[in-house]
Amino acid sequence: MLLMGSDEPSGEEAVLQKLDHEEVQQWLSELPERDRQLLLLRYSGYSYAEIAEQLQVRQPLVGTLIHRATAKLKRQAKAHVQLD
């Protein structure tokens, strides 16, 4: 997120801008299938209801599952960045 009155990206945005698309694809490929599907559906604009229907889970569970999948992806990224 850009801060009001600032042209500089936040620390998190600066890191995200540097991520290589191929690296992200590699990290996603290392996730369990359901986690990968959750993240891809959510960031493709699907609603929680649509994701629940697609993955055949209860809608109230979708937010928790996305949170867990995101945490796994962050751990993957952190592990790979530390190895480089």
Side-chain angles (χ1 to χ4, degrees):
M1 161 179 16
L2 288 178
L3 300 176
M4 298 286 280
S6 172
D7 291 334
E8 296 296 317
S10 68
E12 184 175 300
E13 283 182 338
V15 170
L16 291 174
Q17 289 174 356
K18 292 181 182 180
L19 290 177
D20 182 294
H21 180 73
E22 289 179 17
E23 286 179 319
V24 174
Q25 289 295 323
Q26 175 64 35
W27 302 335
L28 282 168
S29 74
E30 294 173 6
L31 292 176
E33 180 67 21
R34 183 171 76 172
D35 291 341
R36 184 171 47 255
Q37 288 179 334
L38 277 160
L39 294 175
L40 292 174
L41 289 169
R42 184 60 183 155
Y43 293 102
S44 294
Y46 285 75
S47 69
Y48 280 23
E50 292 168 323
I51 294 169
E53 183 179 330
Q54 182 77 24
L55 299 181
Q56 298 179 349
V57 298
R58 293 182 307 114
Q59 184 176 342
L61 185 58
V62 172
T64 299
L65 293 174
I66 290 172
H67 177 77
R68 290 177 184 167
T70 301
K72 288 178 189 176
L73 183 62
K74 286 180 181 179
R75 285 193 299 271
Q76 287 280 27
K78 190 174 182 178
H80 283 279
V81 169
Q82 288 177 352
L83 292 176
D84 293 344

